[in-house]
């Protein structure tokens, strides 16, 4: 009986240690950033967004089971020209007052390849922008940094870095479809590089 009890305890410990880790992408340092770019015939517009939050569940033993949601505060989108920024936030374009969040919710990973602490995959999920939600598939790179949170924040814990580069069409999200394409391309290129934190309890 003692032998079976010991095996049961070992199994329970293994199950606990293999549980997915919840990573919080609300960065207290405020350095998590998403870049966006449009390259129209008359103008090239480059900007950033740093109002990032959300949580992602990641299991180092099973990266393919990764799920979660990254959220961007729409009013954190910034371009260098003040007038362009005003237009971008207005109800003629993103209408950040009515639609305050932009998000991507991961539902599944395919073509998963893991080497050491780095996983690459195609992430399928729901991208929501300007009141429209659309299923898309984008390439992602997940880097799991065990016990590296302290180097970033001074707290014990793990980090998960998510990187991705993909393109959406503003027309798909009812943002002035088919208009102003000489100044604002229909293609919007997004570059994501964000780190989530999982502090250790205690």
């Amino acid at each position: 009986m003692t032998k079976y009890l010991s095996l049961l305890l070992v199994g329970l410990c293994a199950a606990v240690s293999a549980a997915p880790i919840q990573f919080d992408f609300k960065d207290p340092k405020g350095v998590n950033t998403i870049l966006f770019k449009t390259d129209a015939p008359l103008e090239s517009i480059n900007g950033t967004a740093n109002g990032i939050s959300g949580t992602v569940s990641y299991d180092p033993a099973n990266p393919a089971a990764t799920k979660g949601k990254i959220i961007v505060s729409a009013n954190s989108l910034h371009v260098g020209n003040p007038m362009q920024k005003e237009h971008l936030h207005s109800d003629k374009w993103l209408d950040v007052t009515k639609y305050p969040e932009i998000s991507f919710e991961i539902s599944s990973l395919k073509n998963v390849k893991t080497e050491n602490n780095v996983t690459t995959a195609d992430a399928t999920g729901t991208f929501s922008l300007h009141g429209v939600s659309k299923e898309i598939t984008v390439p992602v790179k997940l880097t799991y940094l065990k016990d590296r949170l302290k180097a970033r924040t001074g707290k014990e814990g793990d980090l998960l870095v998510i990187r991705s580069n993909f393109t959406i069409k503003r027309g798909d999200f009812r943002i002035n479809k088919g208009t102003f394409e000489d100044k604002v391309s229909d293609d919007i290129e997004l570059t994501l590089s964000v780190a989530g934190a999982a502090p250790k309890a205690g």
Side-chain angles (χ1 to χ4, degrees):
M1 180 66 95
T2 303
K3 178 181 178 181
Y4 291 121
L5 181 59
S6 299
L7 289 173
L8 178 61
L9 290 173
V10 169
L12 287 173
C13 288
V16 169
S17 65
I21 304 169
Q22 299 296 318
F23 288 88
D24 185 355
F25 283 79
K26 179 73 173 177
D27 181 13
K29 295 183 70 175
V31 297
N32 274 348
T33 303
I34 292 175
L35 309 178
F36 60 92
K37 176 182 178 181
T38 73
D39 194 7
L42 294 180
E43 294 181 352
S44 179
I45 301 172
N46 299 277
T48 61
N50 58 9
I52 298 166
S53 60
T55 58
V56 171
S57 174
Y58 176 84
D59 183 351
N62 184 20
T66 298
K67 294 184 185 302
K69 187 176 186 179
I70 301 295
I71 302 167
V72 181
S73 176
N75 66 10
S76 76
L77 271 67
H78 175 78
V79 293
N81 183 298
M83 184 173 291
Q84 284 183 340
K85 180 178 177 179
E86 183 179 344
H87 289 168
L88 179 68
H89 287 204
S90 75
D91 58 3
K92 301 295 189 295
W93 287 91
L94 295 185
D95 199 353
V96 300
T97 301
K98 186 175 182 179
Y99 307 110
E101 290 184 352
I102 301 166
S103 66
F104 180 56
E105 185 167 8
I106 301 169
S107 58
S108 66
L109 295 187
K110 296 179 180 178
N111 302 318
V112 179
K113 297 178 182 177
T114 300
E115 184 173 348
N116 298 322
N117 65 326
V118 177
T119 296
T120 58
D122 295 324
T124 295
T126 302
F127 191 91
S128 298
L129 168 65
H130 197 240
V132 178
S133 294
K134 180 179 175 64
E135 184 177 89
I136 63 173
T137 299
V138 303
V140 294
K141 179 180 178 181
L142 311 173
T143 304
Y144 171 57
L145 300 171
K146 182 175 174 59
D147 298 326
R148 294 294 300 276
L149 180 61
K150 189 171 185 178
R152 182 179 170 99
T153 67
K155 297 180 180 180
E156 299 288 344
D158 302 339
L159 283 170
L160 179 68
V161 179
I162 300 179
R163 295 180 175 89
S164 184
N165 183 269
F166 59 98
T167 298
I168 61 170
K169 292 185 178 297
R170 62 179 173 90
D172 290 343
F173 297 91
R174 297 200 303 259
I175 304 172
N176 289 322
K177 183 175 182 178
T179 60
F180 305 108
E181 291 190 4
D182 57 337
K183 290 187 176 182
V184 182
S185 171
D186 190 39
D187 290 337
I188 311 296
E189 182 180 345
L190 303 174
T191 301
L192 173 79
S193 181
V194 294
K200 292 191 184 300

